[in-house]
Amino acid sequence: QQQVKQSPQSLIVQKGGISIINCAYENTAFDYFPWYQQFPGKGPALLIAIRPDVSEKKEGRFTISFNKSAKQFSLHIMDSQPGDSATYFCAASMDSSYKLIFGSGTRLLVRP
Amino acid sequence: DGGITQSPKYLFRKEGQNVTLSCEQNLNHDAMYWYRQDPGQGLRLIYYSQIVNDFQKGDIAEGYSVSREKKESFPLTVTSAQKNPTAFYLCASSAPGTNSLYGYTFGSGTRLTVV
């Protein structure tokens, strides 16, 4: 019940296309859902995050869509660029637990 | 600038040797964490600490030890009992309960290799 399942494992998108990464969770007590971006040899950096009281959050080309009833959330990268090529992790937590549960990651490659 | 500093960036360990990875933060965060990342894998929690002088085992604590004597510091020791220590180690910190969306701040990692 503590798992966060992420798919796909890898994704190849042409420049200008839309990248979509999906995550699903079981624990309905989760109330914080961030996405992290990691470049090779670097630590992950927070990209965008959402709480379950909203169904969508947009920051520039990055959008989180959240479906509370289905217990799923997804990251959409519009107009994908080669510089977006990185590994993306979804995560979930209950604030009081102090612990983020991470998905297994998606390696995104955006072709020029 | 506020942030997390991990050192060293690269570390080589001989068989049977203990090594210590450093993690320092100046964000005034209460909670700190250690994760292990293997090539092409996700992040696995080793240990975490919610407050000074207290810490809990994560999912893969065997062969590792930590201390939290100061709020700013959370060093990780990889002991000789850890049979497969070659990995990328990430330290993170957070300020739980602040109702913010900022979550974790990660360090830049230490790559440990057994030679």
Side-chain angles (χ1 to χ4, degrees):
Chain A
Q1 204 184 23
Q2 285 291 85
Q3 278 188 318
V4 176
K5 296 183 179 180
Q6 183 172 347
S7 63
Q9 189 173 18
S10 62
L11 182 60
I12 300 175
V13 174
Q14 289 296 124
K15 178 183 176 181
I18 302 174
S19 304
I20 302 174
I21 304 170
N22 300 298
C23 285
Y25 64 98
E26 290 294 325
N27 191 339
T28 56
F30 287 150
D31 65 356
Y32 171 67
F33 302 89
W35 284 90
Y36 284 82
Q37 180 189 55
Q38 184 182 28
F39 294 104
K42 304 293 185 182
L46 180 67
L47 189 61
I48 187 172
I50 198 169
R51 293 199 183 273
D53 52 344
V54 296
S55 60
E56 185 175 283
K57 181 174 182 181
K58 184 176 180 179
E59 290 185 0
R61 295 184 294 108
F62 301 92
T63 300
I64 297 179
S65 296
F66 186 80
N67 186 329
K68 190 173 182 178
S69 61
K71 291 184 283 187
Q72 295 176 347
F73 60 109
S74 60
L75 176 69
H76 295 235
I77 306 175
M78 311 300 288
D79 187 26
S80 298
Q81 300 296 312
D84 297 330
S85 297
T87 299
Y88 293 82
F89 293 95
C90 64
S93 78
M94 300 173 282
D95 262 354
S96 61
S97 78
Y98 290 66
K99 281 171 36 177
L100 270 177
I101 310 298
F102 285 89
S104 55
T106 296
R107 184 173 293 184
L108 172 65
L109 175 63
V110 181
R111 294 198 187 278
Chain B
D1 288 336
I4 296 184
T5 301
Q6 288 188 242
S7 63
K9 189 172 178 64
Y10 299 96
L11 186 58
F12 298 91
R13 193 195 92 166
K14 294 182 180 179
E15 295 283 350
Q17 201 177 41
N18 291 356
V19 291
T20 297
L21 284 59
S22 171
C23 179
E24 303 277 334
Q25 55 102 356
N26 60 3
L27 299 165
N28 200 34
H29 284 171
D30 286 319
M32 296 187 74
Y33 314 81
W34 275 105
Y35 284 87
R36 169 178 172 143
Q37 186 174 31
D38 294 284
Q41 303 286 318
L43 303 171
R44 293 187 290 169
L45 182 64
I46 304 172
Y47 269 98
Y48 65 103
S49 168
Q50 301 177 13
I51 197 168
V52 174
N53 292 322
D54 186 49
F55 48 83
Q56 287 78 42
K57 293 182 179 180
D59 302 317
I60 55 165
E62 186 175 351
Y64 300 98
S65 66
V66 293
S67 63
R68 186 86 186 278
E69 297 176 1
K70 299 186 300 181
K71 187 175 186 178
E72 301 79 17
S73 179
F74 191 41
L76 173 74
T77 296
V78 184
T79 74
S80 57
Q82 172 49 240
K83 298 306 178 187
N84 185 23
T86 295
F88 189 49
Y89 290 87
L90 288 160
C91 179
S93 70
S94 72
T98 58
N99 202 31
S100 77
L101 290 175
Y102 292 109
Y104 284 19
T105 299
F106 279 91
S108 55
T110 292
R111 187 166 301 279
L112 174 63
T113 304
V114 174
V115 295

